[in-house]
Amino acid sequence: METLLPNVDWPEIWQASLDTLNMLGGSLLFTVLLGLPLGVLLFLTGPRQMFEQKALYGVVSLLVNVLRSVPFVILLILMIPLTVLVTGTSLGVAGAIPPLVVGATPFFARLVETALREVDRGIIEATQAMGASTRQIVVNALLPEALPGIVAAITVTAITLVSYTAMSGLIGGGGLGDLAVRYGYQRYQPDVMLVTVVLLLVLVQILQSTGDKLVVHFSRK
Amino acid sequence: MPTRLHYKPKRFNRVIEFQSVHKAYRVSGQAIPALQPTDLRIARGEVFGIIGHSGAGKSTLLRLINRLEEPSGGRIQVDGIDATALDADGLRRFRQRVGMIFQHFNLLSSKTVADNVGLPLKLAGQLSRGEIDRRVAELLARVGLQEHAGKYPAQLSGGQKQRVGIARALATRPQILLCDEATSALDPQTTAQVLQLLAEINRELGLTIVLITHEMDVIRRVCDRVAVMDAGSIVELGPVAEVFLHPRHATTKRFVLESEHVDEREQHDDFAHVAGRILRLTFQGEATYAPLLGSVARETGVDYSILAGRIDRIKDTPYGQLTLALTGGDIDAAIARFEGADVHLEVLR
Ligand SMILES: Nc1ncnc2c1ncn2[C@@H]1O[C@H](COP(=O)(O)OP(=O)(O)O)[C@@H](O)[C@H]1O
Ligand SMILES: [Mg+2]
């Protein structure tokens, strides 16, 4: 080990891994909490849907597109003042979460909108014919029917967040990405770079296979 | 406790009434008429069929009844309620009184059979969990699916799925059941079973059923009355036997012929080689079994040969239809004799 990976400081790697997991967990939680309602809103107000609202849909849709078209690195920098306002710091795990959430929420909301559109119109109609209110339709029919699609959306979003956390290392976000930049790149220690990349790969693999298993578990078709 | 229905359903004989109801869809700013101004009365407890080709406006008419479609004008009364004047809350409670089943069943794939059937009750929010379970068990027994309560829709056959649909539609004890091409996705044998179940429900629960179809056979098996639709209008309406045996409108005639698998031109070609007068006799009810032919032949000395014929049932009424060629004897006397008997006579040639 010592000879193969001379520069790797394992306790530091361990700490960085924990930071990455914390950033991922925290940002995924808030992304889902914010993105799910936003996705439902996009769906309901969308063209030919139950609550078709051209103006509202247009505005929300535009906002989502603007946020999605800003490169994440730029967003990281632009967000610094707001991040400091919300968390008191722009550094570390806490400092990384707000830009991650702002970067991922529009993406996730779109995926939720798409998953909801996949739900058979007939099912919405049948539920309407039972006398369901819109809230009941969303809770009792749309979300359960779209659950496999939503789980798949969470998986994709989590994996995107992993690569975002690596980028947030650039502005001192901490975690494996930070390590890769500081040691691997700035001090040219390719062994550190390699270890962090392998760990990120393992994380992505675990996320993907868990997500896939859950999708299968929730699919009744 | 959620509010119960404000109204007591009155025993109106007309359970559904349309007064110059019309509907146009707006497609990219343009109004596309789907239902011409229509008056319609459907009586309590009847099975009312609507037949028409694809695009005739059947679904539009049906979906106006529970306001899945908003009418462009006119008045719709259902069970003594002005369905066109309901607010959102009233509409939700109103819809609990009107069940609906669909061509593609529209079951929730994420819920078990039992949860699908219990869903309308859960949404209505008036029964406890235990009461819902009991009602669901009762409904599943009625449609013969007790053993499948824990399955998911994907594990069921088409016929079983439609039974779940029926059980679900009956959950809130509606007075009216709307069926949108409920058997069109099923094979003939399963269709027969589902229709039998609908007839049973109509008989035992006194439920009014409105069903739409493009198959005359479905109408013939279960309906009391039928409306024929063409290009957004009802072009013919009456008791099924009347409409089926004596179709007037071209569309109706086509449906009847289709259901008999007879090509009219082919039939005429066949008759070209036959000598004598050609008559079609239609018997209904008891007359179907009366020994009329033999006695007329004996009395008037005519000879008859049977060109085409069948004996069948329209819902519970037997009927027979015979196409005869008459030769020799006193043909006019024979025709007069048929006209005097309890049969419907058409002289084809
Ligand atoms: N949501 C809709 N938007 C626009 N046009 C519609 C819509 N639904 C039905 N139509 C049109 O209305 C006419 C009648 O349709 P429908 O009632 O579904 O007929 P049917 O059930 O007899 O096949 C058709 O021309 C159809 O294209
Ligand atoms: Mg239709």
Side-chain angles (χ1 to χ4, degrees):
Chain A
M1 279 300 236
E2 288 292 306
T3 48
L4 262 172
L5 307 166
N7 304 307
V8 177
D9 175 351
W10 290 106
E12 200 171 3
I13 293 274
W14 175 243
Q15 185 55 50
S17 303
L18 282 183
D19 286 351
T20 292
L21 288 178
N22 281 330
M23 278 190 278
L24 175 63
S27 58
L28 188 60
L29 177 71
F30 286 106
T31 299
V32 171
L33 285 180
L34 295 173
L36 199 59
L38 189 60
V40 171
L41 179 74
L42 279 169
F43 171 77
L44 290 178
T45 59
R48 285 191 301 283
Q49 297 300 342
M50 271 177 279
F51 266 118
E52 181 168 351
Q53 298 273 341
K54 285 205 174 73
L56 181 59
Y57 182 79
V59 170
V60 178
S61 194
L62 180 68
L63 186 73
V64 163
N65 289 349
V66 166
L67 282 175
R68 285 190 63 190
S69 60
V70 177
F72 185 64
V73 207
I74 310 287
L75 191 68
L76 275 173
I77 297 161
L78 288 178
M79 281 279 298
I80 290 176
L82 186 64
T83 306
V84 173
L85 203 70
V86 174
T87 66
T89 173
S90 72
L91 300 176
V93 172
I97 288 180
L100 288 172
V101 172
V102 172
T105 297
F107 173 68
F108 179 64
R110 277 289 187 219
L111 294 179
V112 169
E113 184 194 4
T114 310
L116 293 174
R117 280 201 194 146
E118 294 289 307
V119 175
D120 189 344
R121 258 194 121 71
I123 284 174
I124 300 175
E125 245 167 38
T127 321
Q128 276 175 324
M130 290 172 205
S133 63
T134 306
R135 191 189 54 80
Q136 287 180 320
I137 294 171
V138 171
V139 173
N140 292 284
L142 275 173
L143 292 178
E145 287 296 295
L147 190 58
I150 292 172
V151 170
I154 294 175
T155 308
V156 175
T157 306
I159 290 168
T160 307
L161 278 169
V162 171
S163 73
Y164 282 3
T165 64
M167 266 191 260
S168 70
L170 280 177
I171 61 155
L176 289 168
D178 189 28
L179 217 57
V181 173
R182 278 192 287 128
Y183 294 88
Y185 178 68
Q186 289 166 358
R187 298 189 201 165
Y188 196 66
Q189 295 174 349
D191 53 341
V192 178
M193 177 96 85
L194 182 73
V195 170
T196 57
V197 169
V198 168
L199 285 175
L200 288 172
L201 175 68
V202 169
L203 179 56
V204 168
Q205 286 284 358
I206 291 173
L207 287 172
Q208 186 69 58
S209 61
T210 311
D212 289 348
K213 283 205 188 83
L214 285 174
V215 170
V216 172
H217 175 76
F218 288 121
S219 295
R220 306 291 188 188
K221 287 204 175 154
Chain B
M1 163 105 190
T3 48
R4 290 202 172 254
L5 293 165
H6 295 314
Y7 53 87
K8 276 243 184 300
K10 298 179 199 127
R11 296 283 115 188
F12 280 123
N13 189 32
R14 293 167 191 172
V15 73
I16 299 169
E17 180 162 4
F18 275 41
Q19 292 167 357
S20 32
V21 176
H22 55 106
K23 168 76 185 174
Y25 293 100
R26 291 211 81 82
V27 182
S28 47
Q30 247 189 321
I32 312 276
L35 185 68
Q36 303 298 334
T38 297
D39 293 298
L40 179 66
R41 270 171 228 95
I42 296 176
R44 184 177 300 280
E46 76 173 326
V47 182
F48 189 88
I50 301 171
I51 189 168
H53 292 292
S54 173
K58 308 181 292 294
S59 296
T60 302
L61 194 160
L62 191 78
R63 294 155 56 86
L64 282 164
I65 297 173
N66 62 351
R67 266 192 51 196
L68 281 181
E69 302 291 356
E70 291 294 328
S72 307
R75 229 160 82 101
I76 302 169
Q77 298 248 35
V78 179
D79 220 3
I81 301 158
D82 186 348
T84 32
L86 293 168
D87 60 6
D89 205 45
L91 181 60
R92 282 204 301 277
R93 274 178 282 119
F94 164 71
R95 281 176 175 163
Q96 290 166 19
R97 316 286 298 196
V98 183
M100 188 167 192
I101 59 175
F102 305 85
Q103 177 173 8
H104 298 294
F105 323 121
N106 297 353
L107 303 176
L108 277 76
S109 63
S110 59
K111 295 195 190 300
T112 61
V113 166
D115 287 344
N116 266 285
V117 174
L119 184 58
L121 298 169
K122 187 178 161 192
L123 296 177
Q126 288 174 356
L127 300 183
S128 70
R129 187 68 239 177
E131 288 169 317
I132 291 180
D133 289 347
R134 271 196 299 282
R135 176 84 181 124
V136 167
E138 191 182 302
L139 287 158
L140 288 179
R142 169 165 282 283
V143 300
L145 289 177
Q146 302 94 307
E147 294 98 72
H148 303 281
K151 287 192 180 166
Y152 288 90
Q155 297 166 285
L156 303 179
S157 70
Q160 289 171 329
K161 283 182 199 166
Q162 197 56 290
R163 283 167 186 274
V164 178
I166 292 170
R168 181 176 72 174
L170 295 179
T172 51
R173 303 183 194 274
Q175 327 264 299
I176 298 167
L177 179 64
L178 309 177
C179 312
D180 191 339
E181 303 266 3
T183 57
S184 297
L186 305 176
D187 62 58
Q189 202 188 340
T190 318
T191 294
Q193 289 165 359
V194 167
L195 291 178
Q196 203 183 335
L197 178 62
L198 290 177
E200 219 174 276
I201 288 165
N202 165 254
R203 240 186 352 259
E204 289 167 20
L205 305 180
L207 201 76
T208 307
I209 298 182
V210 185
L211 69 81
I212 66 182
T213 179
H214 58 269
E215 291 171 302
M216 201 64 199
D217 210 44
V218 170
I219 301 283
R220 194 169 62 79
R221 278 168 197 265
V222 286
C223 294
D224 299 306
R225 288 197 304 149
V226 60
V228 183
M229 284 194 77
D230 188 45
S233 300
I234 294 178
V235 294
E236 195 159 350
L237 190 151
V240 174
E242 259 317 293
V243 173
F244 189 71
L245 295 174
H246 314 298
R248 276 193 267 269
H249 192 272
T251 307
T252 319
K253 287 183 182 162
R254 235 179 358 256
F255 274 117
V256 171
L257 283 178
E258 263 169 37
S259 76
E260 291 164 7
H261 311 286
V262 180
D263 185 325
E264 203 163 17
R265 237 189 15 238
E266 217 171 86
Q267 201 178 35
H268 272 278
D269 289 350
D270 287 350
F271 296 163
H273 309 287
V274 180
R277 299 290 289 277
I278 298 180
L279 313 179
R280 180 153 63 206
L281 304 182
T282 306
F283 312 82
Q284 261 184 75
E286 286 306 306
T288 310
Y289 304 121
L292 181 66
L293 276 188
S295 44
V296 171
R298 268 195 312 279
E299 287 165 25
T300 62
V302 295
D303 270 334
Y304 62 87
S305 50
I306 298 175
L307 303 178
R310 66 207 165 93
I311 293 176
D312 215 327
R313 303 178 82 82
I314 292 173
K315 204 171 180 188
D316 304 317
T317 313
Y319 75 94
Q321 202 158 46
L322 282 179
T323 309
L324 305 174
L326 299 186
T327 46
D330 187 348
I331 292 182
D332 289 329
I335 290 176
R337 187 66 177 75
F338 284 131
E339 273 171 342
D342 193 10
V343 301
H344 179 85
L345 174 86
E346 289 162 275
V347 180
L348 300 182
R349 195 185 70 198

